[in-house]
Amino acid sequence: MAAKKKVSKKKSAAKKKTKKKAVRKKKTGKLAPRKEQRGLKAEQVVLPLDDNAVAPLIDEIQAVGGAAIGAYREPLSGRPVVMAVLPFKAVQPTPFQRDLSPTHVKRLAEKIEESGSFLDPLIVVRGDDGSLWTPNGRHRLAAAKMLGLRQITALVSPDEELAFRILALNTEKAHNLKDRSLEVIRMAHSLAESKPRAKEVDYSAEFEAPELLTLGMIYSQNKRFAGGAYSPMLKKLDRFSERTLRVSLREREAQAARLQEIDVQVKKIIEKLKARGFKSPYLRNYVVARINPVRFHRAKKGDTTPPMSVSAALTRMASAAKKFNLDSVKPGELALVAAMSGGEGS
């Protein structure tokens, strides 16, 4: 009986151990919910209009013909913010936002007209020249102009750096690669002018990903560039530079020029493949993958060191493009690229 009890206890312990393993959550890298509460209490958020923290900002608002409606401390950071109405003409979009979409502006204006309300205030900060900038309201501003609005509502912040951080919060409407790249490169050029000693790596959070800077260089000249085909290679190799923005941007400009030269060769290969009867929309993805020197590289866990420099990779790609063997292309390989691309042809 004692032996049976021991076996039973062992089985019970094994079951409990298995159960614990089953309920153990995998590490996903996602931000876990905090147990403790953060931020200000309600009474700490309220800020009188005559408070020294917002008085200079309210003077600026009044100077452009606007009016302060109220003030408060942002609940998370405690930074002061002024709720105001501003003359439409007093606000300009930051120069590094994505390009204006006339279709989106027209649709937005129609919906505002239908609802009879301009309910979504713009975020507004001081610009480099002392004017008022909105880093996230270009389309709403254009819609207000279309509707002939005299005044718009805005949340005005004295935190000028918010103009560069706001894009990281723009997650509601996913930007495509071109939009994101153009926003980032315009922001980088603006910062390089206003802060010549700033290092590229210091703005890694604002820029989101280093390859966007290089691709942004190209998109600034060629909006039809197929950046999606080259992005996987750049992601594996590109890193933020420790050099100043002015220097790093010159280096990226050179890389962008080389990448465009490679794309010219890729286009020639694609035309030759089409002449042989290959009509897949994934031809560019296939050709670029074939000449990508780090196509099969898999980084070890925790290793962030690139296998080679971007410059070295571009040299290899250019050489591989010149030696590309058309006879080696098989229809089955194209089908595999199509499946791996997830329907994103170029």
Side-chain angles (χ1 to χ4, degrees):
M1 283 292 287
K4 283 184 179 180
K5 282 183 179 180
K6 283 183 180 180
V7 171
S8 179
K9 284 182 180 179
K10 283 182 180 180
K11 284 183 178 180
S12 179
K15 281 183 180 179
K16 286 181 180 179
K17 196 174 183 181
T18 305
K19 194 173 181 182
K20 283 182 180 179
K21 284 184 178 180
V23 298
R24 186 177 293 163
K25 294 181 180 179
K26 293 181 180 179
K27 292 182 179 179
T28 60
K30 294 181 180 178
L31 186 66
R34 290 176 176 266
K35 291 182 180 180
E36 72 279 7
Q37 291 185 323
R38 302 169 65 197
L40 306 179
K41 295 179 180 179
E43 60 271 17
Q44 295 173 314
V45 171
V46 179
L47 198 61
L49 290 175
D50 58 357
D51 191 284
N52 291 334
V54 292
L57 191 59
I58 292 175
D59 288 341
E60 291 181 31
I61 291 169
Q62 292 173 344
V64 298
I69 301 171
Y72 66 94
R73 295 190 185 278
E74 198 283 316
L76 179 60
S77 66
R79 296 190 186 98
V81 179
V82 175
M83 179 73 178
V85 287
L86 297 169
F88 160 77
K89 294 180 179 180
V91 183
Q92 298 295 325
T94 50
F96 38 79
Q97 286 186 56
R98 59 177 171 152
D99 292 336
L100 196 70
S101 167
T103 303
H104 182 51
V105 171
K106 183 180 178 183
R107 189 183 302 119
L108 184 59
E110 288 172 351
K111 295 303 176 185
I112 293 173
E113 185 73 74
E114 286 175 12
S115 65
S117 303
F118 190 93
L119 291 175
D120 195 2
L122 277 63
I123 305 297
V124 171
V125 297
R126 293 189 193 92
D128 288 341
D129 56 358
S131 60
L132 297 176
W133 278 0
T134 174
N136 76 334
R138 184 169 203 160
H139 288 86
R140 277 170 288 162
L141 204 60
K145 181 179 180 180
M146 183 175 284
L147 293 169
L149 291 184
R150 186 180 291 113
Q151 301 279 339
I152 54 171
T153 52
L155 297 176
V156 188
S157 170
D159 182 9
E160 296 175 27
E161 290 297 313
L162 191 61
F164 301 101
R165 294 196 302 267
I166 197 72
L167 296 180
L169 299 174
N170 207 345
T171 58
E172 291 183 7
K173 184 182 184 297
H175 288 24
N176 58 33
L177 183 63
K178 180 180 73 175
D179 287 338
R180 288 159 58 209
S181 299
L182 284 171
E183 286 182 343
V184 165
I185 196 61
R186 289 166 183 169
M187 189 193 307
H189 281 305
S190 178
L191 285 166
E193 287 298 317
S194 62
K195 301 184 178 182
R197 294 185 180 181
K199 294 181 179 180
E200 184 181 279
V201 71
D202 293 338
Y203 290 90
S204 57
E206 288 81 356
F207 296 153
E208 187 182 345
E211 69 273 9
L212 296 181
L213 289 162
T214 303
L215 291 174
M217 287 278 186
I218 302 175
Y219 280 124
S220 297
Q221 302 170 19
N222 178 13
K223 300 287 177 63
R224 298 179 65 83
F225 181 72
Y230 298 94
S231 182
M233 178 273 294
L234 290 173
K235 280 183 179 179
K236 289 184 178 181
L237 302 177
D238 212 347
R239 299 293 184 271
F240 286 116
S241 173
E242 291 284 349
R243 300 189 177 190
T244 63
L245 275 166
R246 286 187 174 181
V247 174
S248 69
L249 289 176
R250 284 198 294 270
E251 292 175 346
R252 289 187 181 279
E253 190 173 11
Q255 291 175 358
R258 294 182 66 188
L259 199 55
Q260 288 183 90
E261 289 173 2
I262 291 169
D263 193 54
V264 170
Q265 296 300 317
V266 168
K267 286 177 182 176
K268 291 178 180 178
I269 296 170
I270 291 171
E271 290 306 313
K272 291 176 181 178
L273 288 173
K274 285 182 178 178
R276 292 190 173 204
F278 292 96
K279 303 296 181 182
S280 171
Y282 302 96
L283 280 173
R284 177 177 272 100
N285 297 64
Y286 172 78
V287 173
V288 173
R290 282 280 299 269
I291 65 174
N292 179 0
V294 290
R295 178 184 178 188
F296 299 109
H297 176 76
R298 296 288 180 272
K300 294 180 181 178
K301 192 174 181 181
D303 184 11
T304 59
T305 306
M308 66 179 71
S309 67
V310 173
S311 181
L314 293 176
T315 300
R316 292 195 188 186
M317 289 182 80
S319 176
K322 290 177 181 177
K323 300 175 183 177
F324 194 90
N325 184 3
L326 297 170
D327 295 327
S328 67
V329 180
K330 302 292 186 295
E333 293 178 339
L334 281 170
L336 180 61
V337 170
M340 293 178 68
S341 297
E344 293 183 3
S346 51

